[in-house]
Amino acid sequence: MQTITTHYDGTFVKSHGSEVMDIIKPTNRKVIARVTMADEQDRKRAIAAAKSAFITFGRSTREEGTEILLRRHQAVSARVDKLTAATVEEYGGVVQFAGIIVQTGVSAFLAAEQALRELPLNRNWGNSTVTREPVGVAGLITAWNANTLFFCLKLASAVAAGCTVVIKPSELSSLQTQVLVEALHEANLPKDLLNVVTGRGNLGGAALVRNPDVDKISFTGSVDVGKLIMRDGAETVKRMTLELGGKSPTIVLGDAVLGQAIPLIMAFMNSGQACAAGTRLLLPRSKLDAVQRAILDAMPAFPAGDPADPKTAVGPMVSQAQYDRVQSYVRKGIEEGAEVLAGGEGHPKGLEEGYFVKPTVFVNVKDDMTTAKEEIFGPVLSVITYASEDEAVEIANDSEYGLQAAVLGTDLQRARRIASPIRSGRVVINKMTDDPQAPWRGFKYSGVGREYGRNGIEAFLETRAILE
Ligand code: NAD
């Protein structure tokens, strides 16, 4: 069994904290590791280290920043396989998607390096000069569903801006974090730019948010915790980037090619534990029968099972709490009158040992049902019909969330027209795609601020004017 008893502040140091947390493998509920959580003393040391390192690093040049990003990229690139394996083992991420998440995280250093090279930092006119300055010490808090991606993305943007960081990764991602930090340590960079303290959110995360020496918080997680962080950070007027939940709509237009599996890929990606998962499928009423048949035909291609098997599409939920959460939403969907087209309550047959749930599709969903409104964070798709394109847009926007939306249709002009009034941070048309330079994250309760590329770096900058 693996044990982790250190945290990281430029070197691996034995944690002063004494609370030990079990890491449980989601496929069989066995304890696979024990992790010592950082305590207040560990956190104070890490924050002090970041604060002291900022005095020099905060004055670093663009060239020094790009050099660090390239070295970090090189260091983590060498560990892609190990990181993917740790994600499958600890989180139960299906191997193909886990590989994509890890690769996207690793590439974030290169994407930030490119964005930094192109980012205008100074402007002059008359006797005025405007400069962009690093905000200071950044506290980075990650969620468990793509820990490597959030860790690398936030770190890369913060470094590009000239910030030093203290990272509080998800406590459910300790093994992945260990692989990552070991890799980053080998980049042999100036000490204390990177500090990592494990810990439970209400202690470790909250302490970072409240600490006056932390200037900025970049958080990925749930809306409820995002609200707490906003409140806790108010006392020290923290700068904030909050990446929160989603209930993303996929609008199928009348001319979309039926039978394509894209709606299911979008709903079940990362076993449905994805903020961007397209969990509301919006269909023209006239297409319901045909789409139901297409979904039933496509379902065998989305089996639940061993996440290490490349044929598996849906792995276990990350924890007992997450398993219970998904079950309660499936039950509620049935109680409120939605009809189960596929899946339903309980474990899939033969997978009773772990936190496996059945990939589930509800039809006859009304827009005001809980299953259409709340983020489930599991493989549950709600099919809602619309009578007109205007109504499709209305339903798509009738959500607290506004993270991502998708429009599927053959006529591209029409698809773009429908995409235009959708109130979400990203709209993808006809495919699940990504662009590391395009801003990402949400409108409304889906968050505050943007990550990726230039926007991601700007989130860690202050603007200063010098007038002569
Ligand atoms: P969570 O909010 O429970 O925890 C996220 C992180 O915050 C963890 O590291 C946790 O330890 C920490 N935390 C918990 N309480 C805290 C507190 N009081 N103060 C400071 N930190 C605290 O979320 P989760 O369960 O890890 O992740 C799932 C959620 O994340 C979902 O709602 C999902 O939509 C969201 N998410 C959003 C995005 C996005 O980009 N918008 C991406 C992935 C996940």
Side-chain angles (χ1 to χ4, degrees):
M1 170 152 354
Q2 191 174 345
T3 54
I4 299 173
T5 56
T6 53
H7 64 270
Y8 187 79
D9 50 23
T11 54
F12 289 96
V13 283
K14 189 138 190 77
S15 296
H16 179 266
S18 55
E19 186 198 348
V20 175
M21 193 183 120
D22 290 341
I23 301 291
I24 297 176
K25 186 170 163 135
T27 50
N28 60 14
R29 305 171 203 230
K30 297 227 163 79
V31 178
I32 50 169
R34 295 214 158 92
V35 180
T36 305
M37 306 270 110
D39 68 3
E40 193 54 20
Q41 189 166 320
D42 296 318
R43 284 187 290 272
K44 279 192 174 150
R45 259 185 72 156
I47 294 168
K51 187 179 176 189
S52 153
F54 181 71
I55 296 168
T56 7
F57 188 61
R59 311 264 19 107
S60 59
T61 61
R62 194 194 298 254
E63 288 66 35
E64 286 163 332
T66 56
E67 167 68 18
I68 288 177
L69 289 165
L70 291 175
R71 280 172 58 186
R72 290 214 156 126
H73 173 256
Q74 204 177 15
V76 289
S77 292
R79 301 291 174 92
V80 166
D81 290 347
K82 213 171 164 193
L83 276 167
T84 305
T87 308
V88 173
E89 172 87 354
E90 177 179 42
Y91 163 56
V94 291
V95 64
Q96 286 186 16
F97 200 82
I100 295 172
I101 286 175
V102 167
Q103 197 54 61
T104 312
V106 169
S107 306
F109 292 104
L110 281 190
E113 191 263 346
Q114 184 193 333
L116 176 59
R117 270 190 283 115
E118 293 165 6
L119 183 68
L121 290 173
N122 297 334
R123 285 184 298 141
N124 300 286
W125 65 91
N127 293 329
S128 303
T129 305
V130 175
T131 64
R132 316 289 299 276
E133 303 294 328
V135 67
V137 174
L140 313 179
I141 304 176
T142 69
W144 41 260
N145 66 318
N147 179 69
T148 298
L149 168 58
F150 307 138
F151 187 118
C152 293
L153 187 59
K154 290 177 192 299
L155 173 62
S157 300
V159 168
C163 293
T164 55
V165 307
V166 181
I167 306 187
K168 206 300 284 174
S170 169
E171 56 274 42
L172 298 177
S173 308
S174 300
L175 302 187
Q176 300 155 66
T177 299
Q178 188 70 7
V179 178
L180 204 44
V181 179
E182 281 170 5
L184 290 164
H185 181 67
E186 282 170 19
N188 210 11
L189 290 167
K191 209 171 158 310
D192 300 341
L193 300 186
L194 167 67
N195 302 272
V196 183
V197 280
T198 53
R200 294 188 194 279
N202 58 345
L203 300 171
L208 268 192
V209 175
R210 291 184 192 136
N211 194 299
D213 288 334
V214 175
D215 301 282
K216 155 100 193 179
I217 291 290
S218 178
F219 165 80
T220 298
S222 59
V223 172
D224 286 348
V225 173
K227 288 178 185 172
L228 277 178
I229 288 179
M230 270 191 140
R231 270 183 230 132
D232 275 353
E235 188 59 33
T236 50
V237 195
K238 279 291 182 284
R239 277 70 183 139
M240 299 260 173
T241 300
L242 303 176
E243 310 301 352
L244 310 177
K247 189 77 189 174
S248 300
T250 300
I251 300 182
V252 174
L253 296 175
D255 63 350
V257 181
L258 291 178
Q260 60 178 315
I262 289 177
L264 295 183
I265 295 171
M266 288 190 177
F268 298 153
M269 64 164 135
N270 206 13
S271 308
Q273 298 177 127
C275 53
T279 50
R280 293 186 293 149
L281 182 61
L282 276 44
L283 297 179
R285 210 156 282 159
S286 58
K287 299 271 177 189
L288 180 61
D289 288 346
V291 173
Q292 281 190 187
R293 279 196 300 278
I295 288 175
L296 285 173
D297 286 348
M299 281 304 281
F302 294 87
D306 175 6
D309 182 343
K311 289 197 286 299
T312 297
V314 177
M317 301 294 93
V318 70
S319 62
Q320 182 69 48
Q322 192 62 19
Y323 172 85
D324 293 342
R325 176 185 169 92
V326 174
Q327 293 303 318
S328 74
Y329 274 109
V330 173
R331 210 169 303 127
K332 190 142 200 172
I334 296 167
E335 282 163 11
E336 290 185 359
E339 186 186 319
V340 176
L341 179 70
E345 275 188 272
H347 291 93
K349 205 156 177 275
L351 293 170
E352 291 77 10
E353 229 187 349
Y355 304 130
F356 292 95
V357 302
K358 295 177 187 164
T360 295
V361 180
F362 279 125
V363 290
N364 283 335
V365 174
K366 303 283 168 281
D367 187 33
D368 58 356
M369 288 180 182
T370 309
T371 188
K373 286 280 170 254
E374 295 187 12
E375 183 185 51
I376 298 174
F377 225 55
V380 181
L381 174 65
S382 297
V383 179
I384 307 168
T385 56
Y386 62 81
S388 65
E389 286 175 0
D390 284 349
E391 195 191 8
V393 171
E394 208 176 289
I395 296 171
N397 284 338
D398 184 22
S399 170
E400 282 183 349
Y401 296 106
L403 188 60
Q404 169 153 299
V407 180
L408 309 180
T410 309
D411 177 348
L412 198 54
Q413 293 308 325
R414 181 179 176 205
R416 286 184 183 142
R417 200 181 62 240
I418 300 296
S420 167
I422 295 177
R423 304 215 14 102
S424 68
R426 265 195 187 181
V427 186
V428 294
I429 296 182
N430 283 337
K431 57 183 168 188
M432 188 61 211
T433 185
D434 192 20
D435 174 352
Q437 299 301 334
W440 169 224
R441 311 308 183 198
F443 283 28
K444 302 190 268 183
Y445 284 36
S446 289
V448 177
R450 293 291 179 273
E451 291 195 289
Y452 274 39
R454 176 180 174 158
N455 297 72
I457 300 173
E458 285 175 337
F460 290 93
L461 292 172
E462 292 277 24
T463 303
R464 182 182 56 194
I466 299 175
L467 312 179
E468 295 174 6

